[in-house]
Amino acid sequence: YPEHALHTMHVGETITPETFRIPTEKTGQAQVRVMEIIPGRVGNRQRRMTLPVENGRLEAQPDQDVLKAFVFERHHATGAHGVGFVKGFGIRRGAMASTVAHDAHNLLVIGASDSDMALAANTLIACGGGMCAVLDGVVLGCVPLPLAGLMNDQSGEQMCRLVEQLTGAWQTMGCTGVSPFMTMALLCLACLPELRLTNRGLVDCQRFCFVPLEEDEPEALT
């Protein structure tokens, strides 16, 4: 395989737990847009939810089944990333990351813990891309996909074992949905209704425009 196909994690920024802070100027609470997945389905729902503001930041609310979601551009080292929230995975702790994120296949990270999100992201940066699950500072499962962040040249049997371990990690973290990584992979596909997250931000896929995380007027799509 050509060298350029084996080195595709050009994130353009150093990812730390602080990277996953979401500042807000609101006090007390803020209304935000949330992507709500429908397990086993392609579409999702755009929801408005009120989240508490803690120390000037918006945080994941796992007790409401609301996780942070970040998409990092990984092809040209632009340092660009989009921020959102997602509901419906049933995860109360930990984080998941994937470079299988249609269609641009950037680095997608969702989770309840900033430190676990950073570990998940950096795990995939180190192995050249793939899918992984992290809980309380431990990588429970990882499927390396070093060929463009999308494929691996190991045997089907070897890959099957890795995927089974990853499936077990999801279950350990509390997710009961069908094929959660496939559902996760569609969070960035900005041609599907209703709300998606890209490295440029949230997209309302019914009105075809970018929209801010907090309730404000949408920007025009350019």
Side-chain angles (χ1 to χ4, degrees), residues 58-102:
L58 295 168
E59 300 288 356
Q61 299 297 317
D63 58 327
Q64 298 184 56
D65 193 17
V66 176
L67 305 177
K68 291 181 179 180
F70 278 65
V71 177
F72 298 89
E73 195 281 322
R74 72 170 179 97
H75 302 289
H76 303 291
T78 63
H81 67 252
V83 179
F85 287 96
V86 63
K87 178 179 176 65
F89 283 103
I91 301 297
R92 296 295 183 267
R93 294 153 49 217
M96 295 73 65
S98 179
T99 54
V100 181
H102 306 290

Side-chain angles (χ1 to χ4, degrees), residues 70-72 81-83 106 187-190 196-203 210:
F70 278 65
V71 177
F72 298 89
H81 67 252
V83 179
N106 285 309
L187 290 178
C188 307
L189 189 49
R196 304 285 159 170
L197 179 64
T198 75
N199 61 290
R200 296 177 63 191
L202 287 167
V203 181
F210 287 113

Side-chain angles (χ1 to χ4, degrees), residues 9-15 72-80 125:
M9 297 302 293
H10 309 298
V11 174
E13 61 179 299
T14 300
I15 295 179
F72 298 89
E73 195 281 322
R74 72 170 179 97
H75 302 289
H76 303 291
T78 63
I125 291 171

Side-chain angles (χ1 to χ4, degrees), residues 2-98:
E3 279 297 305
H4 69 265
L6 298 172
H7 303 282
T8 62
M9 297 302 293
H10 309 298
V11 174
E13 61 179 299
T14 300
I15 295 179
T16 69
E18 288 70 33
T19 304
F20 297 96
R21 292 178 178 175
I22 306 176
T24 178
E25 295 181 358
K26 303 285 177 55
T27 57
Q29 60 185 27
Q31 267 222 319
V32 301
R33 292 176 170 85
V34 176
M35 300 175 286
E36 182 178 19
I37 66 164
I38 306 171
R41 297 280 299 275
V42 169
N44 69 13
R45 300 185 182 96
Q46 179 176 183
R47 293 194 56 181
R48 270 75 169 175
M49 296 188 66
T50 300
L51 300 184
V53 175
E54 304 171 16
N55 300 316
R57 299 194 296 267
L58 295 168
E59 300 288 356
Q61 299 297 317
D63 58 327
Q64 298 184 56
D65 193 17
V66 176
L67 305 177
K68 291 181 179 180
F70 278 65
V71 177
F72 298 89
E73 195 281 322
R74 72 170 179 97
H75 302 289
H76 303 291
T78 63
H81 67 252
V83 179
F85 287 96
V86 63
K87 178 179 176 65
F89 283 103
I91 301 297
R92 296 295 183 267
R93 294 153 49 217
M96 295 73 65
S98 179

Side-chain angles (χ1 to χ4, degrees), residues 133-197:
V134 171
L135 180 63
D136 297 335
V138 177
V139 178
L140 296 185
C142 182
V143 179
L145 300 173
L147 298 175
L150 300 172
M151 295 173 286
N152 194 309
D153 62 357
Q154 295 186 30
S155 70
E157 290 80 6
Q158 290 172 307
M159 293 304 295
C160 185
R161 285 193 291 270
L162 291 173
V163 171
E164 286 179 348
Q165 182 183 12
L166 188 65
T167 299
W170 274 92
Q171 294 169 349
T172 297
M173 295 165 70
C175 182
T176 59
V178 178
S179 298
F181 260 107
M182 180 61 74
T183 303
M184 180 178 166
L186 297 175
L187 290 178
C188 307
L189 189 49
C191 62
L192 296 174
E194 297 181 353
L195 184 67
R196 304 285 159 170
L197 179 64

